[in-house]
Amino acid sequence: EAGVAQSPRYKIIEKRQSVAFWCNPISGHATLYWYQQILGQGPKLLIQFQNNGVVDDSQLPKDRFSAERLKGVDSTLKIQPAKLEDSAVYLCASSLGGITYNEQFFGPGTRLTVL
Amino acid sequence: DQQVKQNSPSLSVQEGRISILNCDYTNSMFDYFLWYKKYPAEGPTFLISISSIKDKNEDGRFTVFLNKSAKHLSLHIVPSQPGDSAVYFCAASAIWLSISGSARQLTFGSGTQLTVLP
């Protein structure tokens, strides 16, 4: 079974530029998550999709971050414009979804450096 | 407001000895608890979980203990091996209710860097 795919793996940009990350979840997984992991901290949930609808985006800085999940499969996360404090690893995860407990599977992450 | 706390940023253990990683939580709505392991340049990988109705779950060298009254859980690794050296994240699961639907969410601790010395 293929895992969660993310690209690019690394990205370096200057502040005020824009950047986009892509995620392809495990086939059949209804729920998709984007996390931000700053060095020395645990992953922090930014946005959660169930199929192509947003379940929770309360911690997404909506003035600069946006995300979409078209057709309930792949997802993109965009930052525009980027700030220095956005330097972090952006993790995508997926799960079968619903309220029954099931495991979240993580992709390898995209390491973003904002100069 | 940190709902899941790992107070030890790092832990060093000799190979063959026991590693004990600790985690505290505050939210009584959490009903599953998980441990994830993370190597550099990789995403977190699931290690072991425990339901809130249990107090112990064992999987090979890994055992998780849950003390609900103290809102505390721990991960024991016996015997520790050099390949266990990684960052270990404690996570807690709860159901998130919204008008768009209900789904589970994980809240993570800040992680503990475990180093197993040969």
Side-chain angles (χ1 to χ4, degrees):
Chain A
E1 177 183 271
V4 177
Q6 289 188 248
S7 68
R9 292 295 312 277
Y10 303 92
K11 190 74 177 179
I12 300 174
I13 61 172
E14 294 188 349
K15 60 183 180 183
R16 291 188 290 274
Q17 286 187 321
S18 62
V19 64
F21 313 126
W22 174 83
C23 173
N24 180 239
I26 292 172
S27 177
H29 279 194
T31 305
L32 184 147
Y33 309 81
W34 282 103
Y35 292 87
Q36 179 192 59
Q37 186 185 2
I38 293 172
L39 188 65
Q41 299 180 19
K44 183 186 88 170
L45 180 67
L46 292 176
I47 188 167
Q48 177 180 355
F49 293 94
Q50 180 108 311
N51 297 308
N52 60 349
V54 176
V55 173
D56 180 19
D57 63 358
S58 58
Q59 297 197 80
L60 187 74
K62 297 180 188 64
D63 58 335
R64 298 184 300 106
F65 286 65
S66 64
E68 60 182 6
R69 188 182 185 196
L70 299 176
K71 299 180 182 178
V73 182
D74 292 5
S75 177
T76 55
L77 176 70
K78 297 179 182 177
I79 307 175
Q80 182 179 13
K83 292 185 175 181
L84 296 177
E85 60 260 36
D86 298 332
S87 294
V89 175
Y90 290 84
L91 294 163
C92 179
S94 70
S95 72
L96 288 171
I99 61 174
T100 303
Y101 166 72
N102 50 79
E103 187 183 335
Q104 279 190 32
F105 295 84
F106 284 82
T110 297
R111 179 175 295 278
L112 173 68
T113 302
V114 183
L115 303 175
Chain B
D1 175 31
Q2 275 190 287
Q3 298 186 58
V4 179
K5 291 184 182 178
Q6 293 177 256
N7 292 316
S8 298
S10 63
L11 174 68
S12 290
V13 170
Q14 210 66 36
E15 181 179 5
R17 305 295 292 268
I18 184 171
S19 294
I20 300 177
L21 294 90
N22 294 301
C23 179
D24 297 294
Y25 65 96
T26 57
N27 190 341
S28 300
M29 299 303 292
F30 294 138
D31 60 351
Y32 279 90
F33 302 89
L34 304 87
W35 287 92
Y36 279 81
K37 180 178 178 179
K38 187 180 184 304
Y39 292 117
E42 295 183 12
T45 55
F46 170 77
L47 189 58
I48 191 169
S49 66
I50 187 167
S51 163
S52 60
I53 63 173
K54 297 188 175 180
D55 55 20
K56 177 182 174 181
N57 188 26
E58 194 171 348
D59 183 2
R61 297 185 297 114
F62 302 92
T63 303
V64 57
F65 295 92
L66 175 63
N67 183 333
K68 276 187 69 177
S69 60
K71 291 189 171 66
H72 176 84
L73 64 153
S74 61
L75 174 68
H76 292 211
I77 307 174
V78 183
S80 302
Q81 300 173 354
D84 296 329
S85 296
V87 177
Y88 288 78
F89 289 103
C90 171
S93 177
I95 296 171
W96 179 270
L97 301 174
S98 77
I99 58 172
S100 306
S102 303
R104 284 196 166 269
Q105 287 190 354
L106 290 179
T107 303
F108 284 84
S110 55
T112 297
Q113 171 71 56
L114 173 66
T115 303
V116 180
L117 305 167

